[in-house]
Amino acid sequence: MSTTVQTPQTTAQAPEQPPAPGRVAAGLFEPRQLLKSLPDALRKLDPRVMAKSPVMFVVEIGSVLTTIMAVKDPSTFAWITTVWLWLTVIFANLAEAVAEGRGKAQADTLRKAKTDTVARRLVGGTSGREERVPGTDLKVGDLVVCEAGDIIPGDGDVVEGVASVDESAITGESAPVIRESGGDRSAVTGGTKVLSDRIVVKITTKPGETFIDRMIALVEGAARQKTPNEIALNILLASLTIIFLFAVVTLQPLAIYSHAEQSIIVLIALLVCLIPTTIGALLSAIGIAGMDRLVQRNVLAMSGRAVEAAGDVSTLLLDKTGTITLGNRQAAEFVALDGVTQAELADAAQLSSLADETPEGRSIVVLAKTAYGLRERDEGELGHAEFVPFTAQTRMSGVDVTNAGVVRRVRKGAASAVNAWVAERGGSVPRRSGELVDGISAAGGTPLLVAVEDAAGARVLGVIHLKDVVKEGMRERFDELRRMGIKTVMITGDNPLTAKAIADEAGVDDFLAEATPEDKMALIKREQAGGKLVAMTGDGTNDAPALAQADVGVAMNTGTSAAKEAGNMVDLDSNPTKLIEIVEIGKQLLITRGALTTFSIANDVAKYFAIIPAMFAVAGGPAGLAPLDKLNIMHLATPESAIISAVVFNALIIVALIPLALRGVRYRPLSADKMLARNLGIYGLGGLVAPFVGIKLIDLLVSLIPGIG
Amino acid sequence: MATNASTRIRVFLAGLRALLVLTVVLGVAYPLAMTGIAQVAFSDQANGSKVKVDGKEVGSSLLGQSFDIVGPDGKSTGQPDPKWFQPRPSAGNYDPLASGASNYGPENADFIQLVKDRKAQVAAFNGVPEDKVPADAVTASGSGLDPHISKAYALIQVDRVAKERGLDPAKVKKLVEDHVDGRVIGILGDERVNVLELNIALQKLAATK
Amino acid sequence: MSPTVAGILQLSLLVALLAAVHRPFGDYMAKVYSSEKHTRPERWIYKAVGADPDSGQRWGIYLRSVLAFSMFSLLGLYALLRLQDKLPWSLGFAPMKADQAFNTAASFTANTNWQSYSGEQAVGHFVQMAGLTVQNFVSAAVGMAVAVALVRGFVRVRSGEIGNFWVDLVRGCVRILLPIAVVGTIVLVASGTIQNLADPHTVTTLSGGHQTVTGGPVASQEVVKELGTNGGGFYNANSAHPFENPNAFTNLVEIFLILVIPFSLPRTFGTLVGSAKQGYAILAAMFTIWFVFVVLMTWTEMHHNGTALEIAGGATEGKEQRIGVPGSSLFAVSTTMTSTGAVNSFHSSFTGLGGGITMLGMMLGEITPGGVGSGLYGMLVMAILAVFVAGLMVGRTPEYLGKKIGAGEMKLVAMYILVVPATILTMTGVALALPGERASILNSDSPHGLSEVLYAYTSGANNNGSAFAGLSANTEYYNVTIGLAMLIGRFVTIALVLALAGRLAEQRQVPETVGTLKTHKPLFVGTLVGVVVIVTGLTFFPALALGPLAEGLA
């Protein structure tokens, strides 16, 4: 009876992760990584590299100036300040280096897969002559042949044959997958290995631009481009830096007028403390780590823009099968006709499905066991049993059991086929059976009729109710999404009735039934015209236009190369549910940036209270400025210790926040209001208070240094 | 390009024409019309709330004036005339052609000395202890034309004025109290005494003695 | 009744009046700027101007119109000042010298009304009317036009057209400012403000001395000076002068006039964007800061800290008896926080902290509630900044009123928040470094002296116009540099705001979801207040420390 073709379970490669709130998991971070990344951090001191981050570039220039001043006019204060300014720069680089370092390990593994391969190029069509060329010489459109044991030399589509392929180099999944010509499983990736059979592959990507190349570039951060939000934030940070630059540079003539001329070192210390170094130092690490979190989930984003867009998505298009429901229909209920016991029906249903290896068939056996306690029987127990497999002609499957010469035939299948079978054998079909069948269809389920022919003649026993089973926890997940302001639309080929039933059960906001690729496309365009950002998953070639149109298009790795080309992300696990996680990662990325920006700006208040009195309310200074000592509310020991404490705090806070930058701010699906309240509380108020405490504590230590305290 | 250039010129000229039109409406028609209405409907106020004594204009009830001793040359000697209630110090010597304030900051050494000197002078002039001298008596107003003093400042001047003019201090005090204006509708501004009006009443009181 | 209680009641009365008026008035203004109909006199004006009132302008043309009009305003006023001896009612005054005429023309065109001249000694009645009064109207109308253009940027979808400047200018003048000015003039004249064309005349005073009593069309200018948050006094003493502000009633009327448009425009904004709540959020942020400043100011002035004031026994130096300390404090905060710059008391003689409050009020960018129009557009720019930071924190590309705040928008916002502080700090630093310019300082060699220069450039660049008037600013150097500061602070910011309006108008509208940051909730108002205070306030902390803080903490 099964209408599904038996295929290798490619969509089930990834173990189903149970959805739980707040599951954007932390990346690993070990303090050891700091040390390991130190050389990289030092290399990044190159001004050409630093200039990319205006805030830290200003700090570096400041550090150079203080060094010169400290050499010219050495003092404990000058040297301590100088060292800590340099540390500020190094800590910032360290953050970036650590973030990049985590990608590097992954890149190395990938590179191993990308060993130079020799390609067996076919000249003159698929049956042409074979020649051996280096993989790097291949051009788009070349045909290459791969046999068991060969490494596929480049990205392409299978044009002839079928083979099992080991894609573990990319996906990390060791189970081989089937690749065959035509259809939606024709794409092969360079660097993967053919395990059996022979295929001919048409190369679709130039060497150097293959999937694996892009992946390496991506995880190493080499291909990292600043995302729109990051650019906007950088503009803000640059302008704040310039404002404070003005404030500090023009402070000197004001100070001179007030008879309180400041040393260059102190002015630089003030500047560095005021400009948003915390976020400036961590900004690129946050971005790299965000991409990294995706990579850890086996998702490759072709651009950072897509990751950011994921955070903005307001409409999610989800394929029903595999995303919302388990891949296949399952038996949910046995409905016996009058005069037939439930047990009788269950027994017959189980018998007819024992040899049915389709998921539907297995689910019937499972239901019989869980609901009616029917033990699964081995074939041997039944005496002589002859199984009747499903064919497209009969649209039935079943079994003929011969026990003590009596033949008992059990059939299950589509209503019309079973009815015909019963009628053919002289049985009658009760009206009730037709009603049941219609009822189940109307509710969106699939009815299978069970009939038997034995000594008592042919008759219908009852109906098996097959239905799509919504994955556990989906409703909660959609509720969550709704709270985040994201609308979910279920896409299905089912008729509207079936679709509605499943949509209601799963709790999606809307559904698109009997969806054609054109319908999908139209839906996306309609949503976008309303200003919404749309995310979807897809794998087939006919999904490609919609994937390209969607703001976030996640192609399944099992999909065609057209689909992978069209989407801006590829899920190596081919798990459509992951779209939800991608959205959360996108949001988390933005939240982390916003939170640390707020923290950074709020920090300035305390630093002013440390540095301003230290600059102006000094012993022997102008009497007119002495009252400023009242601003020293932290009671810092001396002007020198106050300034050093602020600088040290400013540097240490970067290191302290590296784990947060890499891990991302803890994300929970909340409404915007609650999220803002929470983050403002933690990072806004925290940013105001933390430096008061931190600077005071550091001051207690610093003031022990002779010549400072 | 041609249309672009002509657009630019049109916009440019529109700026000039708009200014001219609006100047006629807002800079000529409006103020002249308002002046006309004011002169007809509120002639007294519109012309500066003139104060006349015996038909002769002696100033404006809105403008403070100096009550210094006038020298034989008709100019102020800078010495306060003890016969009159004295107004607040003025940065512009009560000259409406030089309205304005001292602009001294509160820590200015000259200003501190000035306040000290004034305090001593006012105390001595009125024969009261320095702690009885109210703030308005030793600080200049913003306009330099403040027509008012505080009730407290008027009261400490009563004995001196009464003595100088040989009047009953109780009557003079009563005069002051009659001239205390409360806050507008009870809450706006501050209590005050109009010095010019008080002095005119004082002059009348002295004349009827 | 104690002065404090009276002060509280006075403040309550003012707030009640504003609360009663802002809604109908705000809605009225919204109607003025969105109506499609033209009155007959307006049609005559458009014909004379040579503008088609029914055509929309993209931001570039709108800006060019603003600049063309303002340039002719500048040149026209400059010409009047330079030629005033040839004009009627000149009172015999000589032409203003070039640098001062430039400063004055720039000042009135830029809605600043900083005055390095003394009205009663330098400007005749005709120039007061045809030059200064006109600019009091039109510079205010320009500010409102730009604000409305920015609001249209939020409202319009994929259009790029942000209105027609000539229509906005003319309607602002004739439908909003002029009717209120007419009523206001009558109220002021009835209460004692003068309105005549008389020459100064000398009278013999009661004690036998002489006093020259001045005249002039004061009320008609006074009312629009406050209403348009201009602030340039007819006389040197400005609203402390009894002829401009004769009593405590007119004082309250003037404060009301100063605040009425700035505090009503958020309602206009809310009405135009179709969400009154959005308007109230902006209003709440403006009001909160203004209110806190009024309370702080009244508190510090009533406590009259400072050596001289303690000896005197009150912070009455530079204040009028009829207005009192609370009335002066209320006026001072209102005038400095609205870019008005009119004064009824002299800020230089306030307590150290009080002087600092007036300066900080301006440094916040004149947005609480700010000048007519400029306050709204300035606050909206700050709101965009707050949305950007807060929006990131809710995990979405920040959007305000359905418009995304991307890199292009942030570039304009960043320049906006940069240009005024940079101008103030640079010019203050340079002036203090020049020994010749230091000589202009009255309270020399003290934190107060530093404040005088800092105040001057803060006031100029923020288009306020009030002063720590001890500074003798009528020198070539100050006339030119403060003149430039005023033009930069006005027209560079306007260019940025109009560019922003154009960008926003071209965008499509993003629909609101529960994931959208709610910009009408108290939480956002709090964020906005925090951003205003921290981002702009902190920039000036070091400078304020050396000036009013050092003085005020003594």
Side-chain angles (χ1 to χ4, degrees), chain A residues 228-229 231-233 235-236 239-240 242-244 246-247 250-251 253-259 311-313 482-485 528 530-533 587 590-591 594-595 598 601 604-605 608 612 616 624-625 627-628 630-631 672-673 675-677 679-680, chain C residues 385 388-390 392-398 404 406-407 410-411 414 417-418 422 425-426 428-429 432-433 438 441 444-447 449-450 508-511 513-518 521 523 527 534-535 538-539 541-543 545-546 549-550 553-554:
Chain A
N229 258 310
I231 293 170
L233 184 53
I235 290 168
L236 174 65
S239 77
L240 288 177
I242 296 170
I243 290 179
F244 283 121
F246 271 104
T250 59
L251 184 57
L254 270 64
I256 292 171
Y257 176 84
S258 309
H259 308 290
D312 284 350
V313 160
R482 200 168 301 117
R483 280 200 297 278
M484 288 154 58
Q528 286 175 335
K532 291 182 174 162
L533 261 61
K587 285 194 178 293
L590 297 183
I591 295 172
T598 310
I601 295 171
D604 278 4
V605 176
Y608 268 130
I612 293 295
F616 299 120
L625 299 181
L628 290 176
K630 289 181 186 161
L631 293 178
D673 285 344
M675 203 136 52
L676 180 62
N679 291 327
L680 267 183
Chain C
L385 185 61
F388 184 76
V389 177
L392 286 179
M393 276 196 286
V394 302
R396 282 170 70 98
T397 296
K404 294 214 166 191
M410 279 312 288
K411 207 174 283 176
I417 58 172
L418 184 61
L425 291 168
T426 308
T428 305
L432 281 175
R438 289 181 179 183
I441 296 170
S444 59
D445 204 16
S446 69
L450 186 143
R508 59 187 183 198
Q509 195 95 20
V510 184
T513 70
V514 278
T516 312
L517 175 73
K518 299 287 179 292
K521 295 265 180 86
L523 193 61
T527 312
I534 291 185
V535 172
L538 280 190
T539 314
F541 194 91
L546 291 176
L549 271 182
L553 292 174

Side-chain angles (χ1 to χ4, degrees), chain C residues 12 26 84 89-90 93 104 106 137 140 161 235 244 273 286 291 311 329 343 354 427 456 475 481 487 507 511:
Chain C
S12 311
Q84 77 158 328
W89 292 306
S90 71
F93 290 132
T104 306
F137 275 100
E161 285 183 356
Y235 299 117
E244 291 195 21
V273 300
M286 290 174 166
F291 189 79
I311 295 170
S329 305
V343 292
M427 288 189 169
T475 67
T481 54
L487 293 177
Q507 280 192 32

Side-chain angles (χ1 to χ4, degrees), chain A residues 73-308:
Chain A
D73 188 10
S75 71
T76 318
F77 170 73
W79 278 113
I80 294 180
T81 310
T82 305
V83 166
W84 278 96
L85 288 182
W86 279 112
L87 284 176
T88 310
V89 188
I90 291 170
F91 289 161
N93 291 345
L94 206 52
E96 195 179 274
V98 168
E100 286 173 353
R102 305 206 303 175
K104 283 221 172 80
Q106 218 151 353
D108 290 342
T109 323
L110 287 172
R111 276 215 187 77
K112 280 189 200 124
K114 204 185 148 251
T115 43
D116 290 334
T117 46
V118 175
R120 296 159 62 188
R121 183 161 65 184
L122 292 176
V123 184
T126 47
S127 51
R129 178 171 58 84
E130 215 182 283
E131 62 174 17
R132 294 192 165 251
V133 293
T136 48
D137 283 1
L138 290 174
K139 286 188 283 295
V140 174
D142 280 353
L143 294 173
V144 293
V145 64
C146 299
E147 282 181 307
D150 285 349
I151 302 283
I152 298 173
D155 293 1
D157 286 326
V158 179
V159 292
E160 189 184 292
V162 54
S164 61
V165 178
D166 173 10
E167 292 192 340
S168 59
I170 304 171
T171 62
E173 177 60 44
S174 54
V177 294
I178 300 294
R179 293 287 177 244
E180 59 191 351
S181 62
D184 288 349
R185 266 177 300 280
S186 61
V188 288
T189 308
T192 56
K193 191 176 179 185
V194 176
L195 293 179
S196 69
D197 303 297
R198 174 184 187 274
I199 45 174
V200 176
V201 174
K202 187 177 188 180
I203 297 297
T204 54
T205 316
K206 273 191 273 182
E209 290 173 19
T210 63
F211 195 64
I212 218 162
D213 289 316
R214 277 191 285 172
M215 220 167 129
I216 291 170
L218 199 72
V219 293
E220 281 194 322
R224 213 179 81 80
Q225 284 174 328
K226 283 190 179 139
T227 57
N229 258 310
E230 200 178 349
I231 293 170
L233 184 53
N234 245 320
I235 290 168
L236 174 65
L237 297 181
S239 77
L240 288 177
T241 306
I242 296 170
I243 290 179
F244 283 121
L245 201 57
F246 271 104
V248 171
V249 169
T250 59
L251 184 57
Q252 186 70 313
L254 270 64
I256 292 171
Y257 176 84
S258 309
H259 308 290
E261 184 171 353
Q262 296 297 311
S263 73
I264 301 290
I265 293 185
V266 168
L267 287 174
I268 290 171
L270 175 65
L271 176 66
V272 170
C273 285
L274 293 184
I275 61 176
T277 47
T278 314
I279 179 66
L282 297 173
L283 190 56
S284 82
I286 294 169
I288 297 170
M291 296 290 268
D292 194 46
R293 274 198 293 284
L294 275 181
V295 173
Q296 282 171 22
R297 279 165 186 73
N298 269 349
V299 176
L300 290 186
M302 298 308 163
S303 72
R305 188 181 284 265
V307 185
E308 223 164 57

Side-chain angles (χ1 to χ4, degrees), chain A residues 335-387:
Chain A
V335 188
L337 287 176
D338 297 340
V340 181
T341 64
Q342 288 281 344
E344 209 179 329
L345 173 61
D347 179 68
Q350 186 210 37
L351 263 182
S352 67
S353 306
L354 279 178
D356 186 350
E357 285 300 318
T358 63
E360 288 88 343
R362 279 203 302 264
S363 77
I364 293 170
V365 176
V366 169
L367 182 69
K369 185 175 173 187
T370 53
Y372 301 96
L374 286 181
R375 190 173 52 84
E376 191 171 340
R377 286 167 288 194
D378 292 330
E379 290 174 21
E381 284 176 54
L382 301 170
H384 180 74
E386 194 182 318
F387 290 98

Side-chain angles (χ1 to χ4, degrees), chain C residues 158-173:
Chain C
R158 316 205 92 167
S159 136
E161 285 183 356
I162 55 171
N164 182 310
F165 171 69
W166 306 113
V167 173
D168 293 340
L169 172 72
V170 170
R171 287 186 183 174
C173 287

Side-chain angles (χ1 to χ4, degrees), chain C residues 128-328:
Chain C
Q128 292 271 21
M129 292 192 294
L132 303 183
T133 302
V134 171
Q135 285 308 315
N136 272 307
F137 275 100
V138 296
S139 69
V142 166
M144 290 197 280
V146 172
V148 170
L150 178 60
V151 175
R152 290 193 189 113
F154 286 109
V155 177
R156 302 213 167 155
V157 177
R158 316 205 92 167
S159 136
E161 285 183 356
I162 55 171
N164 182 310
F165 171 69
W166 306 113
V167 173
D168 293 340
L169 172 72
V170 170
R171 287 186 183 174
C173 287
V174 305
R175 291 200 201 177
I176 297 173
L177 297 172
L178 190 56
I180 302 176
V182 168
V183 175
T185 304
I186 293 170
V187 170
L188 286 187
V189 173
S191 309
T193 306
I194 65 167
Q195 178 75 17
N196 59 52
L197 295 169
D199 284 4
H201 65 285
T202 303
V203 300
T204 303
T205 62
L206 197 60
S207 61
H210 299 284
Q211 188 176 38
T212 305
V213 178
T214 52
V218 176
S220 58
Q221 185 173 336
E222 183 74 11
V223 66
V224 70
K225 166 187 109 180
E226 316 293 14
L227 181 64
T229 63
N230 292 283
F234 198 94
Y235 299 117
N236 188 47
N238 210 307
S239 289
H241 198 296
F243 277 175
E244 291 195 21
N245 188 9
N247 54 53
F249 169 71
T250 58
N251 189 54
L252 188 74
V253 169
E254 292 188 8
I255 298 174
F256 174 80
L257 288 172
I258 287 173
L259 296 172
V260 69
I261 293 180
F263 270 140
S264 299
L265 275 175
R267 170 77 192 183
T268 309
F269 159 71
T271 305
L272 287 176
V273 300
S275 163
K277 285 180 185 167
Q278 297 290 353
Y280 281 112
I282 294 292
L283 180 64
M286 290 174 166
F287 182 81
T288 304
I289 298 178
W290 173 81
F291 189 79
V292 168
F293 271 51
V294 169
V295 171
L296 287 177
M297 177 66 100
T298 311
W299 176 82
T300 178
E301 290 305 294
M302 294 301 282
H303 278 76
H304 59 83
N305 280 335
T307 311
L309 305 180
E310 273 157 29
I311 295 170
T316 49
E317 180 73 18
K319 296 191 178 77
E320 302 286 298
Q321 179 66 32
R322 65 188 179 284
I323 290 162
V325 173
S328 300

Side-chain angles (χ1 to χ4, degrees), chain A residues 538-571:
Chain A
D539 51 7
T541 299
N542 57 14
D543 283 334
L547 278 172
Q549 178 72 30
D551 301 282
V552 178
V554 182
M556 300 294 102
N557 192 42
T558 50
T560 60
S561 42
K564 281 154 94 176
E565 229 18 83
N568 42 22
M569 290 190 202
V570 176
D571 179 16

